[in-house]
Amino acid sequence: MDVGFLGLGIMGRPMALNLARAGTPLTVWNRTAARTEPLRAAGARVAASPAEVFERAGTVVLMLADEAATDAVLGRGTPAFTGYAAGHTVVHMGTTAPAYSRALEADVRAAGGIYVEAPVSGSRRPAEDGQLVGMLAGPADAVEAVGRLLKPVCAAVFPCGDAAPAALLMKLAVNLYLITSVTGLAEAFHFADRHGLDTERFLAVLDAGPLASATTRVKAPKLRERDFTAQAAALDVLKNNRLIADAARAGGLASPLLDACHALFAETVRLGHEGEDMVAVLRAIEARTDGGSGLSGLSAVERAAGTAG
């Protein structure tokens, strides 16, 4: 049977393209039909509805925008859901709240399906290059099968447990480090820039030292060129930040660096830069330096805890 793929957004489309180009028999669907055309050109079958995907595919990958979109596409809470899930392996690759994934897993299993949680670490460029990092949770045999399926998509995959939300919690831990490190890079760049340093030399020094990484080598040039074209949009980063903060609160955990980033990304979005790359957090830092305009409309609690937006 075919593999199904639902959701062809910034991340989903290059992931599905890599599967199709690797020869995976693929049936795809997307709410905006025009986004399916590159998949059709790559040899994938384009379905008219999610129902058609489930009819043709034994394993169906979900890379949908959020929890509401996932529920709507799956017909969750309606008789259609049971028909979709029964006898299928449902692979949830989107980033959602851990509690949501746990509940979706229970519903898929109750309907007679197999559920594999499979979030990925990486942005648009690694997705295009097939260099994402996958984290998988679910029954061991299903995790092994999904790991093989994702070879054209991921440079590495890591089993994280036999049930949700083990993989999503791992993804959130990785994202916490990503968000705080990129925010720190933007602040360091701002410091160098506003002190009149040669920012190209600053980035060369950074790249030559122990703090250089694949992330700095992608994000630092974007800061230098003020290239805010989205690889991971600020609004999506804010969403991820909230998910991590909620998981931290649920676990009774302190997250002081994350909370500071939460406030800055809320300000970035309020300043109108929600569709720009996460390095646009620089704009919020600049706004604070230039008179605090990034704080306009934020309460003291919001500024301290990052609950705005």
Side-chain angles (χ1 to χ4, degrees):
M1 296 184 72
D2 285 7
V3 171
F5 203 105
L6 303 176
L8 302 173
I10 289 177
M11 295 289 287
R13 185 159 68 172
M15 292 163 65
L17 279 169
N18 282 331
L19 287 172
R21 289 165 179 163
T24 306
L26 201 64
T27 299
V28 303
W29 175 87
N30 191 68
R31 190 181 303 276
T32 303
R35 294 192 64 83
T36 65
E37 290 310 310
L39 272 300
R40 192 192 306 274
R45 180 185 296 269
V46 175
S49 66
E52 184 180 344
V53 174
F54 279 93
E55 286 171 5
R56 296 193 58 84
T59 297
V60 178
V61 175
L62 311 178
M63 194 62 181
L64 298 161
D66 52 30
E67 296 166 8
T70 302
D71 285 347
V73 167
L74 293 179
R76 197 163 170 223
T78 75
F81 177 84
T82 299
Y84 288 170
H88 290 86
T89 298
V90 176
V91 183
H92 176 42
M93 298 193 74
T95 302
T96 60
Y100 171 84
S101 183
R102 184 188 296 114
L104 180 59
E105 175 185 57
D107 287 350
V108 169
R109 288 183 174 181
I114 297 169
Y115 184 86
V116 176
E117 191 180 66
V120 292
S121 178
S123 58
R124 178 173 55 83
R125 182 181 293 181
E128 291 170 347
D129 295 342
Q131 294 296 304
L132 297 169
V133 177
M135 292 147 279
L136 309 183
D141 54 348
V143 163
E144 183 178 352
V146 171
R148 290 195 301 269
L149 170 66
L150 294 179
K151 282 185 177 181
V153 174
C154 296
V157 295
F158 294 91
C160 296
D162 59 5
L168 263 170
L169 288 171
M170 185 70 76
K171 162 74 182 282
L172 295 183
V174 170
N175 275 8
L176 194 160
Y177 180 59
L178 173 66
I179 291 168
T180 55
S181 62
V182 171
T183 305
L185 174 64
E187 185 173 331
F189 180 88
H190 176 67
F191 179 90
D193 182 43
R194 292 303 179 94
H195 276 87
L197 302 180
D198 181 333
T199 54
E200 188 166 354
R201 180 62 53 87
F202 163 68
L203 296 179
V205 171
L206 180 67
D207 192 51
L211 296 179
S213 68
T215 298
T216 60
R217 287 171 178 149
V218 170
K219 297 303 186 185
K222 290 177 73 65
L223 288 165
R224 183 185 64 228
E225 303 299 329
R226 296 187 73 84
D227 172 14
F228 299 120
T229 306
Q231 294 172 330
L235 185 60
D236 292 332
V237 175
L238 179 59
K239 168 193 163 186
N240 276 269
N241 204 317
R242 287 173 176 151
L243 290 174
I244 303 165
D246 288 346
R249 299 296 88 80
L253 308 177
S255 55
L257 293 179
L258 180 76
D259 295 344
C261 295
H262 197 165
L264 284 165
F265 276 97
E267 292 163 29
T268 303
V269 168
R270 286 204 177 201
L271 287 166
H273 307 298
E274 65 275 3
E276 296 180 351
D277 190 73
M278 66 186 301
V279 296
V281 71
L282 175 67
R283 297 188 188 272
I285 297 168
E286 290 173 336
R288 289 193 183 191
T289 291
D290 295 335
S293 60
L295 304 180
S296 176
L298 301 184
S299 71
V301 171
E302 288 173 329
R303 291 195 298 272
T307 56

mmCIF file with all atom_site columns, all heavy atoms in Angstrom, residues 74-100:
data_model
loop_
_atom_site.group_PDB
_atom_site.id
_atom_site.type_symbol
_atom_site.label_atom_id
_atom_site.label_alt_id
_atom_site.label_comp_id
_atom_site.label_asym_id
_atom_site.label_entity_id
_atom_site.label_seq_id
_atom_site.pdbx_PDB_ins_code
_atom_site.Cartn_x
_atom_site.Cartn_y
_atom_site.Cartn_z
_atom_site.occupancy
_atom_site.B_iso_or_equiv
_atom_site.pdbx_formal_charge
_atom_site.auth_seq_id
_atom_site.auth_comp_id
_atom_site.auth_asym_id
_atom_site.auth_atom_id
_atom_site.pdbx_PDB_model_num
ATOM 1   N N   . LEU A 1 74  ? -8.678  14.667 10.680 1.00 0.00 ? 74  LEU A N   1
ATOM 2   C CA  . LEU A 1 74  ? -8.949  13.276 11.067 1.00 0.00 ? 74  LEU A CA  1
ATOM 3   C C   . LEU A 1 74  ? -10.419 13.027 11.384 1.00 0.00 ? 74  LEU A C   1
ATOM 4   O O   . LEU A 1 74  ? -10.811 11.874 11.612 1.00 0.00 ? 74  LEU A O   1
ATOM 5   C CB  . LEU A 1 74  ? -8.109  12.907 12.291 1.00 0.00 ? 74  LEU A CB  1
ATOM 6   C CG  . LEU A 1 74  ? -6.597  12.833 12.091 1.00 0.00 ? 74  LEU A CG  1
ATOM 7   C CD1 . LEU A 1 74  ? -5.912  12.482 13.412 1.00 0.00 ? 74  LEU A CD1 1
ATOM 8   C CD2 . LEU A 1 74  ? -6.236  11.814 11.025 1.00 0.00 ? 74  LEU A CD2 1
ATOM 9   N N   . GLY A 1 75  ? -11.231 14.082 11.423 1.00 0.00 ? 75  GLY A N   1
ATOM 10  C CA  . GLY A 1 75  ? -12.628 13.903 11.811 1.00 0.00 ? 75  GLY A CA  1
ATOM 11  C C   . GLY A 1 75  ? -12.750 13.397 13.232 1.00 0.00 ? 75  GLY A C   1
ATOM 12  O O   . GLY A 1 75  ? -13.670 12.636 13.560 1.00 0.00 ? 75  GLY A O   1
ATOM 13  N N   . ARG A 1 76  ? -11.835 13.816 14.080 1.00 0.00 ? 76  ARG A N   1
ATOM 14  C CA  . ARG A 1 76  ? -11.837 13.331 15.465 1.00 0.00 ? 76  ARG A CA  1
ATOM 15  C C   . ARG A 1 76  ? -13.119 13.754 16.163 1.00 0.00 ? 76  ARG A C   1
ATOM 16  O O   . ARG A 1 76  ? -13.554 14.888 16.074 1.00 0.00 ? 76  ARG A O   1
ATOM 17  C CB  . ARG A 1 76  ? -10.618 13.906 16.190 1.00 0.00 ? 76  ARG A CB  1
ATOM 18  C CG  . ARG A 1 76  ? -10.275 13.173 17.470 1.00 0.00 ? 76  ARG A CG  1
ATOM 19  C CD  . ARG A 1 76  ? -8.882  13.503 17.899 1.00 0.00 ? 76  ARG A CD  1
ATOM 20  N NE  . ARG A 1 76  ? -8.593  13.005 19.232 1.00 0.00 ? 76  ARG A NE  1
ATOM 21  C CZ  . ARG A 1 76  ? -7.947  13.684 20.153 1.00 0.00 ? 76  ARG A CZ  1
ATOM 22  N NH1 . ARG A 1 76  ? -7.494  14.912 19.866 1.00 0.00 ? 76  ARG A NH1 1
ATOM 23  N NH2 . ARG A 1 76  ? -7.718  13.171 21.334 1.00 0.00 ? 76  ARG A NH2 1
ATOM 24  N N   . GLY A 1 77  ? -13.712 12.803 16.865 1.00 0.00 ? 77  GLY A N   1
ATOM 25  C CA  . GLY A 1 77  ? -14.987 13.056 17.516 1.00 0.00 ? 77  GLY A CA  1
ATOM 26  C C   . GLY A 1 77  ? -16.181 12.731 16.640 1.00 0.00 ? 77  GLY A C   1
ATOM 27  O O   . GLY A 1 77  ? -17.324 12.905 17.052 1.00 0.00 ? 77  GLY A O   1
ATOM 28  N N   . THR A 1 78  ? -15.923 12.242 15.417 1.00 0.00 ? 78  THR A N   1
ATOM 29  C CA  . THR A 1 78  ? -16.990 11.838 14.499 1.00 0.00 ? 78  THR A CA  1
ATOM 30  C C   . THR A 1 78  ? -16.773 10.387 14.100 1.00 0.00 ? 78  THR A C   1
ATOM 31  O O   . THR A 1 78  ? -15.680 9.833  14.288 1.00 0.00 ? 78  THR A O   1
ATOM 32  C CB  . THR A 1 78  ? -16.985 12.709 13.225 1.00 0.00 ? 78  THR A CB  1
ATOM 33  O OG1 . THR A 1 78  ? -15.886 12.319 12.381 1.00 0.00 ? 78  THR A OG1 1
ATOM 34  C CG2 . THR A 1 78  ? -16.862 14.192 13.572 1.00 0.00 ? 78  THR A CG2 1
ATOM 35  N N   . PRO A 1 79  ? -17.783 9.740  13.515 1.00 0.00 ? 79  PRO A N   1
ATOM 36  C CA  . PRO A 1 79  ? -17.612 8.342  13.078 1.00 0.00 ? 79  PRO A CA  1
ATOM 37  C C   . PRO A 1 79  ? -16.490 8.175  12.060 1.00 0.00 ? 79  PRO A C   1
ATOM 38  O O   . PRO A 1 79  ? -15.909 7.084  11.951 1.00 0.00 ? 79  PRO A O   1
ATOM 39  C CB  . PRO A 1 79  ? -18.971 7.999  12.469 1.00 0.00 ? 79  PRO A CB  1
ATOM 40  C CG  . PRO A 1 79  ? -19.939 8.911  13.162 1.00 0.00 ? 79  PRO A CG  1
ATOM 41  C CD  . PRO A 1 79  ? -19.190 10.189 13.380 1.00 0.00 ? 79  PRO A CD  1
ATOM 42  N N   . ALA A 1 80  ? -16.178 9.224  11.307 1.00 0.00 ? 80  ALA A N   1
ATOM 43  C CA  . ALA A 1 80  ? -15.124 9.111  10.296 1.00 0.00 ? 80  ALA A CA  1
ATOM 44  C C   . ALA A 1 80  ? -13.783 8.754  10.921 1.00 0.00 ? 80  ALA A C   1
ATOM 45  O O   . ALA A 1 80  ? -12.972 8.047  10.304 1.00 0.00 ? 80  ALA A O   1
ATOM 46  C CB  . ALA A 1 80  ? -15.003 10.421 9.515  1.00 0.00 ? 80  ALA A CB  1
ATOM 47  N N   . PHE A 1 81  ? -13.538 9.224  12.130 1.00 0.00 ? 81  PHE A N   1
ATOM 48  C CA  . PHE A 1 81  ? -12.241 9.007  12.761 1.00 0.00 ? 81  PHE A CA  1
ATOM 49  C C   . PHE A 1 81  ? -11.928 7.517  12.909 1.00 0.00 ? 81  PHE A C   1
ATOM 50  O O   . PHE A 1 81  ? -10.813 7.069  12.610 1.00 0.00 ? 81  PHE A O   1
ATOM 51  C CB  . PHE A 1 81  ? -12.187 9.690  14.131 1.00 0.00 ? 81  PHE A CB  1
ATOM 52  C CG  . PHE A 1 81  ? -10.908 9.452  14.875 1.00 0.00 ? 81  PHE A CG  1
ATOM 53  C CD1 . PHE A 1 81  ? -9.788  10.230 14.626 1.00 0.00 ? 81  PHE A CD1 1
ATOM 54  C CD2 . PHE A 1 81  ? -10.818 8.442  15.828 1.00 0.00 ? 81  PHE A CD2 1
ATOM 55  C CE1 . PHE A 1 81  ? -8.602  10.005 15.307 1.00 0.00 ? 81  PHE A CE1 1
ATOM 56  C CE2 . PHE A 1 81  ? -9.625  8.209  16.503 1.00 0.00 ? 81  PHE A CE2 1
ATOM 57  C CZ  . PHE A 1 81  ? -8.517  8.997  16.245 1.00 0.00 ? 81  PHE A CZ  1
ATOM 58  N N   . THR A 1 82  ? -12.903 6.750  13.358 1.00 0.00 ? 82  THR A N   1
ATOM 59  C CA  . THR A 1 82  ? -12.682 5.313  13.544 1.00 0.00 ? 82  THR A CA  1
ATOM 60  C C   . THR A 1 82  ? -12.332 4.653  12.223 1.00 0.00 ? 82  THR A C   1
ATOM 61  O O   . THR A 1 82  ? -11.423 3.814  12.142 1.00 0.00 ? 82  THR A O   1
ATOM 62  C CB  . THR A 1 82  ? -13.924 4.648  14.165 1.00 0.00 ? 82  THR A CB  1
ATOM 63  O OG1 . THR A 1 82  ? -14.167 5.233  15.450 1.00 0.00 ? 82  THR A OG1 1
ATOM 64  C CG2 . THR A 1 82  ? -13.721 3.150  14.322 1.00 0.00 ? 82  THR A CG2 1
ATOM 65  N N   . GLY A 1 83  ? -13.020 5.044  11.159 1.00 0.00 ? 83  GLY A N   1
ATOM 66  C CA  . GLY A 1 83  ? -12.727 4.482  9.855  1.00 0.00 ? 83  GLY A CA  1
ATOM 67  C C   . GLY A 1 83  ? -11.325 4.831  9.382  1.00 0.00 ? 83  GLY A C   1
ATOM 68  O O   . GLY A 1 83  ? -10.661 4.017  8.724  1.00 0.00 ? 83  GLY A O   1
ATOM 69  N N   . TYR A 1 84  ? -10.883 6.037  9.701  1.00 0.00 ? 84  TYR A N   1
ATOM 70  C CA  . TYR A 1 84  ? -9.532  6.432  9.323  1.00 0.00 ? 84  TYR A CA  1
ATOM 71  C C   . TYR A 1 84  ? -8.485  5.648  10.111 1.00 0.00 ? 84  TYR A C   1
ATOM 72  O O   . TYR A 1 84  ? -7.507  5.149  9.563  1.00 0.00 ? 84  TYR A O   1
ATOM 73  C CB  . TYR A 1 84  ? -9.324  7.917  9.581  1.00 0.00 ? 84  TYR A CB  1
ATOM 74  C CG  . TYR A 1 84  ? -10.041 8.853  8.635  1.00 0.00 ? 84  TYR A CG  1
ATOM 75  C CD1 . TYR A 1 84  ? -10.098 10.214 8.906  1.00 0.00 ? 84  TYR A CD1 1
ATOM 76  C CD2 . TYR A 1 84  ? -10.673 8.396  7.481  1.00 0.00 ? 84  TYR A CD2 1
ATOM 77  C CE1 . TYR A 1 84  ? -10.746 11.102 8.053  1.00 0.00 ? 84  TYR A CE1 1
ATOM 78  C CE2 . TYR A 1 84  ? -11.327 9.262  6.625  1.00 0.00 ? 84  TYR A CE2 1
ATOM 79  C CZ  . TYR A 1 84  ? -11.355 10.617 6.922  1.00 0.00 ? 84  TYR A CZ  1
ATOM 80  O OH  . TYR A 1 84  ? -11.997 11.478 6.071  1.00 0.00 ? 84  TYR A OH  1
ATOM 81  N N   . ALA A 1 85  ? -8.652  5.582  11.420 1.00 0.00 ? 85  ALA A N   1
ATOM 82  C CA  . ALA A 1 85  ? -7.599  5.037  12.285 1.00 0.00 ? 85  ALA A CA  1
ATOM 83  C C   . ALA A 1 85  ? -7.509  3.515  12.220 1.00 0.00 ? 85  ALA A C   1
ATOM 84  O O   . ALA A 1 85  ? -6.415  2.950  12.282 1.00 0.00 ? 85  ALA A O   1
ATOM 85  C CB  . ALA A 1 85  ? -7.826  5.498  13.720 1.00 0.00 ? 85  ALA A CB  1
ATOM 86  N N   . ALA A 1 86  ? -8.633  2.848  12.132 1.00 0.00 ? 86  ALA A N   1
ATOM 87  C CA  . ALA A 1 86  ? -8.648  1.383  12.210 1.00 0.00 ? 86  ALA A CA  1
ATOM 88  C C   . ALA A 1 86  ? -7.748  0.770  11.137 1.00 0.00 ? 86  ALA A C   1
ATOM 89  O O   . ALA A 1 86  ? -7.862  1.071  9.951  1.00 0.00 ? 86  ALA A O   1
ATOM 90  C CB  . ALA A 1 86  ? -10.074 0.868  12.061 1.00 0.00 ? 86  ALA A CB  1
ATOM 91  N N   . GLY A 1 87  ? -6.826  -0.087 11.566 1.00 0.00 ? 87  GLY A N   1
ATOM 92  C CA  . GLY A 1 87  ? -5.960  -0.794 10.650 1.00 0.00 ? 87  GLY A CA  1
ATOM 93  C C   . GLY A 1 87  ? -4.847  0.037  10.042 1.00 0.00 ? 87  GLY A C   1
ATOM 94  O O   . GLY A 1 87  ? -4.144  -0.436 9.156  1.00 0.00 ? 87  GLY A O   1
ATOM 95  N N   . HIS A 1 88  ? -4.688  1.254  10.514 1.00 0.00 ? 88  HIS A N   1
ATOM 96  C CA  . HIS A 1 88  ? -3.655  2.139  9.982  1.00 0.00 ? 88  HIS A CA  1
ATOM 97  C C   . HIS A 1 88  ? -2.602  2.451  11.044 1.00 0.00 ? 88  HIS A C   1
ATOM 98  O O   . HIS A 1 88  ? -2.876  2.399  12.245 1.00 0.00 ? 88  HIS A O   1
ATOM 99  C CB  . HIS A 1 88  ? -4.266  3.473  9.524  1.00 0.00 ? 88  HIS A CB  1
ATOM 100 C CG  . HIS A 1 88  ? -5.118  3.357  8.306  1.00 0.00 ? 88  HIS A CG  1
ATOM 101 N ND1 . HIS A 1 88  ? -6.454  3.032  8.354  1.00 0.00 ? 88  HIS A ND1 1
ATOM 102 C CD2 . HIS A 1 88  ? -4.809  3.514  6.985  1.00 0.00 ? 88  HIS A CD2 1
ATOM 103 C CE1 . HIS A 1 88  ? -6.948  3.002  7.127  1.00 0.00 ? 88  HIS A CE1 1
ATOM 104 N NE2 . HIS A 1 88  ? -5.975  3.286  6.276  1.00 0.00 ? 88  HIS A NE2 1
ATOM 105 N N   . THR A 1 89  ? -1.413  2.777  10.585 1.00 0.00 ? 89  THR A N   1
ATOM 106 C CA  . THR A 1 89  ? -0.393  3.363  11.445 1.00 0.00 ? 89  THR A CA  1
ATOM 107 C C   . THR A 1 89  ? -0.430  4.867  11.228 1.00 0.00 ? 89  THR A C   1
ATOM 108 O O   . THR A 1 89  ? -0.194  5.341  10.103 1.00 0.00 ? 89  THR A O   1
ATOM 109 C CB  . THR A 1 89  ? 1.004   2.812  11.118 1.00 0.00 ? 89  THR A CB  1
ATOM 110 O OG1 . THR A 1 89  ? 1.029   1.404  11.357 1.00 0.00 ? 89  THR A OG1 1
ATOM 111 C CG2 . THR A 1 89  ? 2.066   3.488  11.993 1.00 0.00 ? 89  THR A CG2 1
ATOM 112 N N   . VAL A 1 90  ? -0.766  5.598  12.271 1.00 0.00 ? 90  VAL A N   1
ATOM 113 C CA  . VAL A 1 90  ? -0.871  7.058  12.213 1.00 0.00 ? 90  VAL A CA  1
ATOM 114 C C   . VAL A 1 90  ? 0.414   7.634  12.798 1.00 0.00 ? 90  VAL A C   1
ATOM 115 O O   . VAL A 1 90  ? 0.743   7.375  13.965 1.00 0.00 ? 90  VAL A O   1
ATOM 116 C CB  . VAL A 1 90  ? -2.104  7.552  12.993 1.00 0.00 ? 90  VAL A CB  1
ATOM 117 C CG1 . VAL A 1 90  ? -2.161  9.086  13.002 1.00 0.00 ? 90  VAL A CG1 1
ATOM 118 C CG2 . VAL A 1 90  ? -3.379  6.963  12.383 1.00 0.00 ? 90  VAL A CG2 1
ATOM 119 N N   . VAL A 1 91  ? 1.139   8.404  11.997 1.00 0.00 ? 91  VAL A N   1
ATOM 120 C CA  . VAL A 1 91  ? 2.438   8.954  12.396 1.00 0.00 ? 91  VAL A CA  1
ATOM 121 C C   . VAL A 1 91  ? 2.277   10.457 12.589 1.00 0.00 ? 91  VAL A C   1
ATOM 122 O O   . VAL A 1 91  ? 2.141   11.213 11.622 1.00 0.00 ? 91  VAL A O   1
ATOM 123 C CB  . VAL A 1 91  ? 3.520   8.659  11.338 1.00 0.00 ? 91  VAL A CB  1
ATOM 124 C CG1 . VAL A 1 91  ? 4.877   9.166  11.811 1.00 0.00 ? 91  VAL A CG1 1
ATOM 125 C CG2 . VAL A 1 91  ? 3.576   7.161  11.038 1.00 0.00 ? 91  VAL A CG2 1
ATOM 126 N N   . HIS A 1 92  ? 2.282   10.879 13.829 1.00 0.00 ? 92  HIS A N   1
ATOM 127 C CA  . HIS A 1 92  ? 2.068   12.297 14.172 1.00 0.00 ? 92  HIS A CA  1
ATOM 128 C C   . HIS A 1 92  ? 3.413   12.999 14.247 1.00 0.00 ? 92  HIS A C   1
ATOM 129 O O   . HIS A 1 92  ? 4.172   12.818 15.201 1.00 0.00 ? 92  HIS A O   1
ATOM 130 C CB  . HIS A 1 92  ? 1.330   12.380 15.509 1.00 0.00 ? 92  HIS A CB  1
ATOM 131 C CG  . HIS A 1 92  ? 1.141   13.776 16.027 1.00 0.00 ? 92  HIS A CG  1
ATOM 132 N ND1 . HIS A 1 92  ? 0.777   14.827 15.228 1.00 0.00 ? 92  HIS A ND1 1
ATOM 133 C CD2 . HIS A 1 92  ? 1.264   14.287 17.282 1.00 0.00 ? 92  HIS A CD2 1
ATOM 134 C CE1 . HIS A 1 92  ? 0.669   15.923 15.957 1.00 0.00 ? 92  HIS A CE1 1
ATOM 135 N NE2 . HIS A 1 92  ? 0.980   15.618 17.204 1.00 0.00 ? 92  HIS A NE2 1
ATOM 136 N N   . MET A 1 93  ? 3.719   13.828 13.225 1.00 0.00 ? 93  MET A N   1
ATOM 137 C CA  . MET A 1 93  ? 5.011   14.490 13.152 1.00 0.00 ? 93  MET A CA  1
ATOM 138 C C   . MET A 1 93  ? 4.957   15.968 13.524 1.00 0.00 ? 93  MET A C   1
ATOM 139 O O   . MET A 1 93  ? 5.996   16.628 13.624 1.00 0.00 ? 93  MET A O   1
ATOM 140 C CB  . MET A 1 93  ? 5.613   14.336 11.752 1.00 0.00 ? 93  MET A CB  1
ATOM 141 C CG  . MET A 1 93  ? 5.872   12.895 11.362 1.00 0.00 ? 93  MET A CG  1
ATOM 142 S SD  . MET A 1 93  ? 6.920   12.716 9.887  1.00 0.00 ? 93  MET A SD  1
ATOM 143 C CE  . MET A 1 93  ? 8.524   13.151 10.567 1.00 0.00 ? 93  MET A CE  1
ATOM 144 N N   . GLY A 1 94  ? 3.766   16.504 13.704 1.00 0.00 ? 94  GLY A N   1
ATOM 145 C CA  . GLY A 1 94  ? 3.632   17.906 14.074 1.00 0.00 ? 94  GLY A CA  1
ATOM 146 C C   . GLY A 1 94  ? 4.038   18.141 15.517 1.00 0.00 ? 94  GLY A C   1
ATOM 147 O O   . GLY A 1 94  ? 4.190   17.217 16.313 1.00 0.00 ? 94  GLY A O   1
ATOM 148 N N   . THR A 1 95  ? 4.212   19.428 15.860 1.00 0.00 ? 95  THR A N   1
ATOM 149 C CA  . THR A 1 95  ? 4.566   19.796 17.225 1.00 0.00 ? 95  THR A CA  1
ATOM 150 C C   . THR A 1 95  ? 3.316   20.303 17.928 1.00 0.00 ? 95  THR A C   1
ATOM 151 O O   . THR A 1 95  ? 2.783   21.357 17.586 1.00 0.00 ? 95  THR A O   1
ATOM 152 C CB  . THR A 1 95  ? 5.662   20.879 17.235 1.00 0.00 ? 95  THR A CB  1
ATOM 153 O OG1 . THR A 1 95  ? 6.802   20.390 16.528 1.00 0.00 ? 95  THR A OG1 1
ATOM 154 C CG2 . THR A 1 95  ? 6.077   21.210 18.664 1.00 0.00 ? 95  THR A CG2 1
ATOM 155 N N   . THR A 1 96  ? 2.843   19.526 18.885 1.00 0.00 ? 96  THR A N   1
ATOM 156 C CA  . THR A 1 96  ? 1.635   19.862 19.639 1.00 0.00 ? 96  THR A CA  1
ATOM 157 C C   . THR A 1 96  ? 1.930   19.696 21.129 1.00 0.00 ? 96  THR A C   1
ATOM 158 O O   . THR A 1 96  ? 3.012   19.245 21.516 1.00 0.00 ? 96  THR A O   1
ATOM 159 C CB  . THR A 1 96  ? 0.467   18.943 19.244 1.00 0.00 ? 96  THR A CB  1
ATOM 160 O OG1 . THR A 1 96  ? 0.832   17.575 19.517 1.00 0.00 ? 96  THR A OG1 1
ATOM 161 C CG2 . THR A 1 96  ? 0.128   19.086 17.769 1.00 0.00 ? 96  THR A CG2 1
ATOM 162 N N   . ALA A 1 97  ? 0.959   20.036 21.940 1.00 0.00 ? 97  ALA A N   1
ATOM 163 C CA  . ALA A 1 97  ? 1.106   19.824 23.373 1.00 0.00 ? 97  ALA A CA  1
ATOM 164 C C   . ALA A 1 97  ? 1.258   18.332 23.654 1.00 0.00 ? 97  ALA A C   1
ATOM 165 O O   . ALA A 1 97  ? 0.573   17.507 23.048 1.00 0.00 ? 97  ALA A O   1
ATOM 166 C CB  . ALA A 1 97  ? -0.103  20.374 24.122 1.00 0.00 ? 97  ALA A CB  1
ATOM 167 N N   . PRO A 1 98  ? 2.155   17.962 24.571 1.00 0.00 ? 98  PRO A N   1
ATOM 168 C CA  . PRO A 1 98  ? 2.304   16.544 24.902 1.00 0.00 ? 98  PRO A CA  1
ATOM 169 C C   . PRO A 1 98  ? 0.998   15.885 25.325 1.00 0.00 ? 98  PRO A C   1
ATOM 170 O O   . PRO A 1 98  ? 0.723   14.743 24.931 1.00 0.00 ? 98  PRO A O   1
ATOM 171 C CB  . PRO A 1 98  ? 3.329   16.566 26.042 1.00 0.00 ? 98  PRO A CB  1
ATOM 172 C CG  . PRO A 1 98  ? 4.150   17.795 25.776 1.00 0.00 ? 98  PRO A CG  1
ATOM 173 C CD  . PRO A 1 98  ? 3.171   18.801 25.242 1.00 0.00 ? 98  PRO A CD  1
ATOM 174 N N   . ALA A 1 99  ? 0.177   16.597 26.105 1.00 0.00 ? 99  ALA A N   1
ATOM 175 C CA  . ALA A 1 99  ? -1.091  16.013 26.563 1.00 0.00 ? 99  ALA A CA  1
ATOM 176 C C   . ALA A 1 99  ? -2.014  15.728 25.382 1.00 0.00 ? 99  ALA A C   1
ATOM 177 O O   . ALA A 1 99  ? -2.762  14.738 25.394 1.00 0.00 ? 99  ALA A O   1
ATOM 178 C CB  . ALA A 1 99  ? -1.774  16.942 27.563 1.00 0.00 ? 99  ALA A CB  1
ATOM 179 N N   . TYR A 1 100 ? -1.994  16.585 24.375 1.00 0.00 ? 100 TYR A N   1
ATOM 180 C CA  . TYR A 1 100 ? -2.812  16.346 23.184 1.00 0.00 ? 100 TYR A CA  1
ATOM 181 C C   . TYR A 1 100 ? -2.369  15.068 22.488 1.00 0.00 ? 100 TYR A C   1
ATOM 182 O O   . TYR A 1 100 ? -3.198  14.239 22.092 1.00 0.00 ? 100 TYR A O   1
ATOM 183 C CB  . TYR A 1 100 ? -2.702  17.536 22.230 1.00 0.00 ? 100 TYR A CB  1
ATOM 184 C CG  . TYR A 1 100 ? -3.348  17.272 20.892 1.00 0.00 ? 100 TYR A CG  1
ATOM 185 C CD1 . TYR A 1 100 ? -4.707  17.465 20.703 1.00 0.00 ? 100 TYR A CD1 1
ATOM 186 C CD2 . TYR A 1 100 ? -2.595  16.797 19.815 1.00 0.00 ? 100 TYR A CD2 1
ATOM 187 C CE1 . TYR A 1 100 ? -5.315  17.198 19.477 1.00 0.00 ? 100 TYR A CE1 1
ATOM 188 C CE2 . TYR A 1 100 ? -3.188  16.525 18.589 1.00 0.00 ? 100 TYR A CE2 1
ATOM 189 C CZ  . TYR A 1 100 ? -4.539  16.730 18.424 1.00 0.00 ? 100 TYR A CZ  1
ATOM 190 O OH  . TYR A 1 100 ? -5.134  16.447 17.216 1.00 0.00 ? 100 TYR A OH  1
#
